[in-house]
Amino acid sequence: MASGIGAARLGPAERAAALERMAARELDVVVVGGGVVGAGVALDAVTRGLDTGLVEARDFASGTSSRSSKLIHGGLRYLEQLNFELVREALQERSLLLQRIAPHLVRPVPFLFPLTHHLWERPYVGAGVALYDMLGFASGLTRGVPGHRHLSRSRALRLAPALKKSAFTGAVQYWDAQVDDARYVMMMLRTAAEYGAHVAPRTQVVGFLREGERVTGVRVRDLESGAEQEIRAQQVVNATGVWTDDIQELVGGRGQIHVRASKGIHLVVPRDRIHSLTGIILRTEKSVLFVIPWGRHWIVGTTDTHWTLDKSHPAASRADIDYLLDHVNAVLSTPLTRDDVEGVYAGLRPLLWGESDETSKLSREHVVAHPVPGLVMIAGGKYTTYRVMARDAVDAVAHGLDQRVPPSCTDRVPLVGAEGYQALWNSRHRLAHSSGLHVARIEHLLQRYGSLIDEVLELIEQDPSLARPLNGADDYLRAEIVYAATHEGARHLNDVLTRRTRISIETFHRGQAVAQEAAELLAGPLGWNDEQVKREVEYFTKRVEAERRSQEQDSDQEADAIRLGAPEIVPVVVPDRA
């Protein structure tokens, strides 16, 4: 690989080196945005041999890409819209991710579709799911998941005793896949770094470099130090999702792409609150509602409402939460209450602006544009098809370069941690014996790190105290907190408790009970003094408190105003529009 084995570390030293290298010479391409699409573009570009950099104003996947339904799926509802090509493409990507690109991060998940009408619904839904399965074969790969099956009401109740018997007449079960969306993005960026990409979080674009009409790079501010530098590149790719229009305005483009933000919120509840062996999908008046298995929890989502307020921290209101509870309780024999909710998270979908006023009807297909020479913009799409979006964006980059660029090869590039994963999974009992950890811990680590598990175990070998779980979030080992800083690009406590782990949504205390312990673990690798540790804990605590208060408000405006009351640990500057 371009930079040698071990280059996949994204620690503080690697970030500093990446910024230095990006300032030292003209790159072929610099990517703005560290979400799933930006990470995909960086990986696609660097594996085609392009000298590639990526900057992200906050943490990797800190926007939409950490706040999804965490599903890798074709989108059953798109079949109703007769968008067969979008579904086929997404199912092909699902197969690739499950079987070749990231088997350690993406895994099958079953869903039960309860039927509510006696005559017409079973053949209608059955035909749709059969087509869904058939399209999954269209790529020539195996689907990677079992086929669907029809169930009577009594058989469905054996799988999902939580369902209210009177709420349905029978069911169809089918399979899709799921992923920890933020970890996937981070692993993709580690893979890009291993092939030679220069990656820097907490680095905000504050202006564009121009030579006449042409964009020739970006001016960035290091939000950790306040220092500014120029990064020159033959092509700049804007992959900023819901911020697409803002970047177009900054660069003076003519607005070839318009994105509308749609807010989706999700609830996290303990696994014992819903007695079921399978996920559940429900039809609502606007879209669909998922009840998704998530370790020792369930994720319930989502909503679909127009959002025009703060893009960095979209807030969930009481109305959002009640909407989800009302709809899921319509089919549960034991209803959920607000007291059952461990976590709440809200994200924004970047939908291409269409003629419809309803966000649920706007396009999920993507668009690539060249608003000015030297600048490529990519927007729209969905998480599952990020790789196709990235390929199309880099094809546009290649068109703008004065050199021959090979075609995309990311359909054959496994992410770090994928190679050897299956063999290690088969040997997990041996790993447990040699490490002294319980086999359940080894399984947890393998499904988060894959074959990189050795790096985590090495930390434990060097410091056996890291083998203990966090006091208050015992799904996670202390070693995982340290590793997030040394290898995974985490810069702040919030990065670790919200994205490298999911403690902020998987515990009733939302991470507050472990904040001090985690901050002290991060202090060493990140070079914090006692004052910085205190500041990190205070910021995280204020963020959680603001989110809790915002979720008690009746309207988006009230919720947004309260959520914005929590300060940023690093001030995010407003781009200079001069």
Side-chain angles (χ1 to χ4, degrees), residues 15 71 93 110 117 246 343 517 552:
R15 176 181 180 274
L71 293 177
E93 293 303 305
H117 298 85
D246 302 69
E517 181 183 4
E552 295 296 330

Side-chain angles (χ1 to χ4, degrees), residues 112 114 156-157 160-168 275 280 282 331-333:
L112 201 67
L157 283 169
L163 290 175
K164 193 187 301 181
K165 188 175 180 180
S166 61
F168 71 114
H275 188 194
I280 301 165
L282 307 170
V331 300
L332 295 181
S333 54

Side-chain angles (χ1 to χ4, degrees), residues 203-521:
T203 305
Q204 186 181 28
V205 171
V206 293
F208 284 82
L209 307 180
R210 306 289 285 263
E211 291 291 342
E213 187 185 356
R214 185 176 188 82
V215 169
T216 57
V218 291
R219 188 169 75 253
V220 299
R221 182 172 300 159
D222 180 346
L223 295 183
E224 303 288 10
S225 68
E228 290 195 9
Q229 69 181 57
E230 294 183 347
I231 300 174
R232 299 196 171 274
Q234 293 188 53
Q235 294 282 307
V236 177
V237 177
N238 172 47
T240 53
V242 293
W243 286 272
T244 297
D245 287 12
D246 302 69
I247 296 292
Q248 281 190 146
E249 184 182 339
L250 180 63
V251 82
R254 289 185 291 275
Q256 293 184 15
I257 299 177
H258 293 293
V259 171
R260 179 183 289 188
S262 165
K263 183 178 69 167
I265 82 142
H266 296 79
L267 312 180
V268 182
V269 300
R271 196 66 179 263
D272 63 5
R273 301 305 197 272
I274 302 174
H275 188 194
S276 178
L277 299 174
T278 176
I280 301 165
I281 177 173
L282 307 170
R283 187 191 296 271
T284 71
E285 67 276 8
K286 293 182 179 179
S287 183
V288 294
L289 183 76
F290 287 102
V291 180
I292 306 162
W294 182 255
R296 294 200 294 166
H297 318 269
W298 296 98
I299 293 174
V300 180
T302 180
T303 58
D304 194 345
T305 54
H306 186 39
W307 181 262
T308 58
L309 303 170
D310 179 67
K311 293 173 185 166
S312 299
H313 305 293
S317 67
R318 173 183 285 275
D320 292 325
I321 295 169
D322 289 345
Y323 172 88
L324 289 181
L325 290 176
D326 288 347
H327 279 78
V328 75
N329 284 340
V331 300
L332 295 181
S333 54
T334 303
L336 298 173
T337 70
R338 287 178 67 94
D339 290 339
D340 295 318
V341 176
E342 293 173 288
V344 181
Y345 64 93
L348 299 177
R349 303 176 191 87
L351 303 180
L352 295 178
W353 193 296
E355 296 178 358
S356 172
D357 289 332
E358 295 181 48
T359 54
S360 61
K361 292 182 179 177
L362 294 183
S363 175
R364 298 308 303 273
E365 294 184 75
H366 66 274
V367 118
V368 177
H370 254 305
V372 293
L375 177 66
V376 171
M377 306 195 78
I378 174 87
K382 51 187 284 188
Y383 196 108
T384 302
T385 55
Y386 81 86
R387 198 192 62 79
V388 178
M389 295 175 67
R391 180 195 67 200
D392 291 350
V394 181
D395 283 348
V397 166
H399 183 73
L401 291 173
D402 296 326
Q403 63 188 78
R404 293 194 61 176
V405 178
S408 175
C409 63
T410 51
D411 60 334
R412 301 181 299 282
V413 176
L415 299 193
V416 291
E419 196 169 339
Y421 162 71
Q422 191 60 55
L424 285 170
W425 180 262
N426 295 342
S427 306
R428 60 194 183 278
H429 292 279
R430 178 185 57 76
L431 268 176
H433 178 74
S434 63
S435 67
L437 296 174
H438 192 280
V439 68
R441 294 283 184 198
I442 294 296
E443 290 176 352
H444 161 89
L445 294 175
L446 282 170
Q447 291 185 330
R448 285 169 53 75
Y449 306 95
S451 55
L452 299 181
I453 188 175
D454 289 346
E455 296 178 345
V456 182
L457 296 178
E458 188 178 330
L459 288 177
I460 292 172
E461 193 175 325
Q462 293 168 359
D463 180 357
S465 74
L466 298 181
R468 297 200 311 268
L470 286 171
N471 185 20
D474 62 3
D475 281 354
Y476 299 96
L477 301 180
R478 287 161 54 90
E480 296 180 75
I481 306 302
V482 175
Y483 188 81
T486 57
H487 289 71
E488 296 183 341
R491 301 288 304 172
H492 295 281
L493 178 62
N494 190 46
D495 302 343
V496 175
L497 298 185
T498 305
R499 286 172 290 277
R500 302 307 182 280
T501 70
R502 293 300 188 159
I503 293 169
S504 68
I505 59 170
E506 292 177 348
T507 57
F508 282 106
H509 57 73
R510 301 196 181 179
Q512 288 179 302
V514 301
Q516 184 68 35
E517 181 183 4
E520 289 171 359
L521 288 167

Side-chain angles (χ1 to χ4, degrees), residues 35-189:
V36 69
V37 176
V41 171
L43 180 58
D44 191 290
V46 76
T47 53
R48 296 199 204 191
L50 299 178
D51 193 4
T52 304
L54 178 141
V55 292
E56 161 59 46
R58 297 184 293 160
D59 183 28
F60 305 135
S62 56
T64 305
S65 296
S66 60
R67 308 179 194 190
S68 73
S69 297
K70 320 214 182 301
L71 293 177
I72 299 296
H73 65 132
L76 260 181
R77 69 189 179 102
Y78 300 125
L79 288 181
E80 281 195 303
Q81 299 169 8
L82 304 182
N83 201 336
F84 301 125
E85 180 55 28
L86 180 63
V87 175
R88 185 202 62 76
E89 182 179 76
L91 290 175
Q92 176 176 324
E93 293 303 305
R94 186 189 70 180
S95 296
L96 278 170
L97 299 183
L98 275 166
Q99 298 174 76
R100 184 182 301 168
I101 294 174
H104 55 317
L105 301 175
V106 182
R107 54 193 58 90
V109 60
F111 285 102
L112 201 67
F113 193 120
L115 305 172
T116 56
H117 298 85
H118 280 285
L119 296 175
W120 64 269
E121 193 175 22
R122 185 179 290 278
Y124 178 75
V125 172
V129 176
L131 176 60
Y132 194 67
D133 279 353
M134 185 179 73
L135 289 170
F137 279 122
S139 64
L141 292 166
T142 61
R143 281 194 310 262
V145 299
H148 76 284
R149 58 177 179 157
H150 286 263
L151 301 172
S152 64
R153 180 163 61 184
S154 60
R155 287 184 69 196
L157 283 169
R158 285 199 290 271
L159 279 176
L163 290 175
K164 193 187 301 181
K165 188 175 180 180
S166 61
F168 71 114
T169 60
V172 177
Q173 188 180 42
Y174 75 100
W175 292 71
D176 253 318
Q178 71 177 163
V179 67
D180 184 324
D181 46 8
R183 288 200 62 76
Y184 189 95
V185 172
M186 179 272 301
M187 287 291 212
M188 192 161 28
L189 286 166

Side-chain angles (χ1 to χ4, degrees), residues 498-558:
T498 305
R499 286 172 290 277
R500 302 307 182 280
T501 70
R502 293 300 188 159
I503 293 169
S504 68
I505 59 170
E506 292 177 348
T507 57
F508 282 106
H509 57 73
R510 301 196 181 179
Q512 288 179 302
V514 301
Q516 184 68 35
E517 181 183 4
E520 289 171 359
L521 288 167
L522 293 169
L526 293 176
W528 293 347
N529 57 23
D530 290 346
E531 181 59 33
Q532 183 66 19
V533 168
K534 180 182 176 183
R535 186 167 172 258
E536 294 280 338
V537 173
E538 285 180 352
Y539 161 74
F540 183 79
T541 300
K542 287 177 181 176
R543 182 188 74 79
V544 172
E545 289 171 351
E547 285 187 349
R548 285 188 188 278
R549 290 199 308 274
S550 71
Q551 290 155 17
E552 295 296 330
Q553 307 309 306
D554 292 327
S555 72
D556 283 348
Q557 288 76 13
E558 293 167 314

